[in-house]
Amino acid sequence: MSKRTKLIVGAVGAILVLGALAGFTIAADDDEPLTGSTYDRATEAALDHVGGGTVIETETGDGGAAYGVEIRRDDGSVVEVELDENFDVVGTE
């Protein structure tokens, strides 16, 4: 194999590895929506905290919190309520 061929093969291999790592990182950022009783408890706690509204998204493990619940308030503003594993509010965004 010539030096040029080795260089091309090495570059293609590096690109494939970097692409696989980028794909893994993107996949790792995908948060799972809440379901069942976890959904019920998390949304109830979040809605109580903000005083009502409409749940537009839920997820697990967001920003160091165990659960995240995104709520659209009646005034149109959106807030994300972060909850710990006991469904206690630990923050809002």
Side-chain angles (χ1 to χ4, degrees):
M1 216 185 305
S2 72
K3 185 175 182 178
R4 182 173 183 216
T5 303
K6 289 179 184 179
L7 183 61
I8 291 171
V9 169
V12 169
I15 290 170
L16 291 174
V17 168
L18 290 174
L21 289 174
F24 176 75
T25 301
I26 290 169
D29 288 342
D30 290 340
D31 295 317
E32 294 293 320
L34 303 180
T35 60
S37 65
T38 302
Y39 174 88
D40 294 338
R41 292 181 67 191
T43 57
E44 180 181 0
L47 288 167
D48 285 346
H49 180 72
V50 300
T54 303
V55 174
I56 54 177
E57 183 178 5
T58 63
E59 57 195 5
T60 59
D62 186 42
Y67 311 110
V69 179
E70 195 169 311
I71 297 171
R72 177 171 286 114
R73 293 179 175 158
D74 293 336
D75 67 2
S77 63
V78 175
V79 62
E80 182 170 354
V81 180
E82 298 169 339
L83 306 162
D84 66 12
E85 58 278 344
N86 296 314
F87 303 96
D88 294 321
V89 175
V90 295
T92 57
E93 294 182 20

